[in-house]
């Protein structure tokens, strides 16, 4: 289930909004104005159908228009959209630079401990992609149970990863094998190799003037 992330408390102020007419004691209607608090909403703006810039450069899409509709219903707030890289969206919230993040967020235990989630607005689905050479395997997969014993390559941290790990936790005797692409392990492996073959020593001596890696091991 996808939702919006409410990162931290709302703060700041923005332009005036006019509330719905209020009726006075004598039956006359008067307009009331409030100074709404500005809400910073971080978006990627590059998800077709969800959040993107149209031909005129206007930010639109399902999530954007949904947020605009929410904004219209809340005269005490005014939403301001700011573009962000995906990797910076949660950091912006923890640093107090954003209030809401819109990016088809899926709740998990780690995120729930750090952020507030709105009600869900989309039921997510997962698609298994099988190499065309394995037609028999592809035709045998109808439900998630059919993945048991197979190996699924899935990036750590996305919605498919959490769905599959949740399945494995519920079925410890019949797990799905997950192959993650782990950037940290890959980079650490390369650093270990470059330390061992003397590349780090050579480069640091060339550019810094001495061996920066002397005495450093993989345990450091």
């Amino acid at each position: 289930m996808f939702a919006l992330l409410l990162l931290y408390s709302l703060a700041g102020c923005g332009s005036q909004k006019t509330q719905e007419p209020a009726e006075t004691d004598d039956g006359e209607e008067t307009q009331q104005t409030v100074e709404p608090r500005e809400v910073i909403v971080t978006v990627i703006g590059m998800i077709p159908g969800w959040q993107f810039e149209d031909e005129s450069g206007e930010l639109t899409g399902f999530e954007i228009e949904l947020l605009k509709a929410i904004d219209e219903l809340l005269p005490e707030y005014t939403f301001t959209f700011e573009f962000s890289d995906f990797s910076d969206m949660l950091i912006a919230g923890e640093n107090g630079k954003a209030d809401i993040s819109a990016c088809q967020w899926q709740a998990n235990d780690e995120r729930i401990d750090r952020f507030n989630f709105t009600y869900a607005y989309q039921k997510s689905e997962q698609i298994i992609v099988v190499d065309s050479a394995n037609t028999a395997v592809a035709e045998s997969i109808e439900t998630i149970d059919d993945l048991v014993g197979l190996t699924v390559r899935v990036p750590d941290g996305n919605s498919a990863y959490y769905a599959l790990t949740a399945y494995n936790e519920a079925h410890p005797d019949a797990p799905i094998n997950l192959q993650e692409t782990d950037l940290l392990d890959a980079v650490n492996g390369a650093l270990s190799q470059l330390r061992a073959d003397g590349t780090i020593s050579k480069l640091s001596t060339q550019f810094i003037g001495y061996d920066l890696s002397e005495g450093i091991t993989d345990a450091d």
Side-chain angles (χ1 to χ4, degrees), residues 77-152:
Y77 303 114
T78 183
F79 289 5
T80 299
F81 296 100
E82 292 188 358
F83 289 97
S84 172
D85 292 331
F86 178 78
S87 59
D88 295 333
M89 298 184 86
L90 300 186
I91 296 175
E94 291 180 317
N95 291 340
K97 296 181 179 180
D99 303 295
I100 296 177
S101 177
C103 191
Q104 295 177 286
W105 293 107
Q106 185 177 48
N108 58 60
D109 292 339
E110 179 186 354
R111 289 172 179 168
I112 289 174
D113 287 341
R114 298 165 60 194
F115 308 105
N116 297 313
F117 281 81
T118 65
Y119 295 143
Y121 58 81
Q122 180 204 354
K123 186 175 182 179
S124 60
E125 297 180 348
Q126 303 296 338
I127 298 174
I128 299 297
V129 179
V130 181
D131 188 281
S132 59
N134 297 321
T135 303
V137 173
E139 293 177 347
S140 70
I141 300 173
E142 295 185 358
T143 69
I144 191 171
D145 295 318
D146 297 323
L147 297 176
V148 173
L150 299 179
T151 297
V152 179

Side-chain angles (χ1 to χ4, degrees), residues 24-123:
T24 62
D25 293 337
D26 57 7
E28 294 183 358
E29 289 187 345
T30 61
Q31 294 286 344
Q32 295 180 331
T33 58
V34 294
E35 287 291 341
R37 286 186 283 176
E38 184 180 33
V39 175
I40 303 300
V41 182
T42 55
V43 298
I44 295 179
M46 295 187 297
I47 307 176
W50 292 83
Q51 41 178 280
F52 61 95
E53 291 181 291
D54 61 19
E55 295 178 354
S56 63
E58 182 73 18
L59 184 63
T60 187
F62 169 72
E63 284 183 308
I64 303 303
E65 299 307 321
L66 176 61
L67 282 158
K68 290 178 180 178
I70 293 172
D71 190 16
E72 284 294 321
L73 294 175
L74 304 176
E76 65 270 37
Y77 303 114
T78 183
F79 289 5
T80 299
F81 296 100
E82 292 188 358
F83 289 97
S84 172
D85 292 331
F86 178 78
S87 59
D88 295 333
M89 298 184 86
L90 300 186
I91 296 175
E94 291 180 317
N95 291 340
K97 296 181 179 180
D99 303 295
I100 296 177
S101 177
C103 191
Q104 295 177 286
W105 293 107
Q106 185 177 48
N108 58 60
D109 292 339
E110 179 186 354
R111 289 172 179 168
I112 289 174
D113 287 341
R114 298 165 60 194
F115 308 105
N116 297 313
F117 281 81
T118 65
Y119 295 143
Y121 58 81
Q122 180 204 354
K123 186 175 182 179

